[in-house]
Amino acid sequence: RKEVEQDPGPFNVPEGATVAFNCTYSNSASQSFFWYRQDCRKEPKLLMSVYSSGNEDGRFTAQLNRASQYISLLIRDSKLSDSATYLCVVNGGGGGNKLTFGTGTQLKVEL
Amino acid sequence: GAVVSQHPSWVICKSGTSVKIECRSLDFQATTMFWYRQFPKQSLMLMATSNEGSKATYEQGVEKDKFLINHASLTLSTLTVTSAHPEDSSFYICSARGTAGGPDTQYFGPGTRLTVL
């Protein structure tokens, strides 16, 4: 089983739509969680950290369910510029203070 | 703030040559630097972790004699791919963690695309 699993997509949505991505992780000892965004042939960029209480940053909402080892990202009112690959990233657990990346979920926002 | 640069951006070389990639933290001190590799349509895979002034810790399956890592200062780490072969062609990305952001925060360089002919 992969340490971090995501549906690769692609998710094709119209501009203005609301879209949600999910991610599961296998190591229950994982300590911190993130969503990164990666554009084609570019480095990943931190989108937001994910907290147990849930957190929101503008159109983006992230949630963590430790009991189910599940992380989600919700994007509201999607823009063309949101088209990218969204990486679920987990830190810590048995592997120490290292980031483990999911393969990413590709989002394409269309007119 | 918290900018990490990486050079070169891309490199094409012949099989058997060695390639050095530099990773610099421009406006903070990087006590730890990480080197990742990403093949097309795959996730970033951690190759090694290096702490300033000490030897790098390599992930399982990564040859330390092939991928030489030096982290001699708090702002610079280098990865040298020795005797590169076509299967080493990949996107190499560094990240840095240190005096910027939270204790878990890593800042990524823009990556180096290596093509070995």
Side-chain angles (χ1 to χ4, degrees), chain B residues 56-107:
Chain B
T57 302
Y58 289 80
E59 295 298 301
Q60 193 173 13
V62 178
E63 299 174 58
K64 63 179 181 180
D65 294 330
K66 180 168 181 65
F67 299 99
L68 302 178
I69 291 171
N70 184 282
H71 190 172
S73 79
L74 284 170
T75 59
L76 173 65
S77 176
T78 61
L79 167 69
T80 301
V81 183
T82 61
S83 187
H85 291 284
E87 59 266 29
D88 298 323
S89 299
S90 188
F91 190 43
Y92 291 86
I93 308 174
C94 71
S95 71
R97 184 178 69 202
T99 56
D104 296 340
T105 305
Q106 293 184 26
Y107 296 94

Side-chain angles (χ1 to χ4, degrees), chain A residues 13-19 58-60 74-82 109:
Chain A
V13 302
E15 202 174 14
T18 296
V19 61
R59 297 180 294 108
F60 300 85
L74 181 78
I75 305 176
R76 288 182 298 277
D77 188 23
S78 51
K79 313 288 185 192
L80 294 175
S81 57
D82 294 333
V109 181

Side-chain angles (χ1 to χ4, degrees), chain B residues 15-75:
Chain B
S15 188
T17 59
S18 293
V19 175
K20 181 186 279 190
I21 302 169
E22 289 190 351
C23 178
R24 292 181 186 272
S25 57
L26 299 185
D27 50 3
F28 68 102
Q29 293 183 327
T31 48
T32 305
M33 284 187 169
F34 302 86
W35 286 95
Y36 295 85
R37 181 167 53 181
Q38 186 177 33
F39 293 106
K41 297 192 183 297
Q42 295 188 23
S43 60
L44 272 74
M45 297 299 295
L46 180 65
M47 299 175 67
T49 303
S50 73
N51 293 299
E52 185 265 337
S54 59
K55 288 184 179 179
T57 302
Y58 289 80
E59 295 298 301
Q60 193 173 13
V62 178
E63 299 174 58
K64 63 179 181 180
D65 294 330
K66 180 168 181 65
F67 299 99
L68 302 178
I69 291 171
N70 184 282
H71 190 172
S73 79
L74 284 170
T75 59

Side-chain angles (χ1 to χ4, degrees), chain A residues 84-95:
Chain A
T85 296
Y86 290 84
L87 306 173
C88 176
V89 183
V90 174
N91 188 25

Side-chain angles (χ1 to χ4, degrees), chain A residues 59-71:
Chain A
R59 297 180 294 108
F60 300 85
T61 301
Q63 293 201 308
L64 166 66
N65 184 321
R66 285 190 183 269
S68 303
Q69 294 178 206
Y70 169 100
I71 305 160

Side-chain angles (χ1 to χ4, degrees), chain A residues 32 34 36 38 41-44 46 87 91 97-99 101-103, chain B residues 34 36 38 43-44 46 59 91 93 97 103-104 106 108-110 113:
Chain A
S32 49
F34 310 90
Y36 277 74
Q38 186 174 26
R41 303 175 79 85
K42 300 283 189 181
E43 79 277 20
L46 179 64
L87 306 173
N91 188 25
N97 194 10
K98 299 183 293 190
L99 298 182
F101 287 78
T103 51
Chain B
F34 302 86
Y36 295 85
Q38 186 177 33
S43 60
L44 272 74
L46 180 65
E59 295 298 301
F91 190 43
I93 308 174
R97 184 178 69 202
D104 296 340
Q106 293 184 26
F108 285 83
R113 195 160 298 279

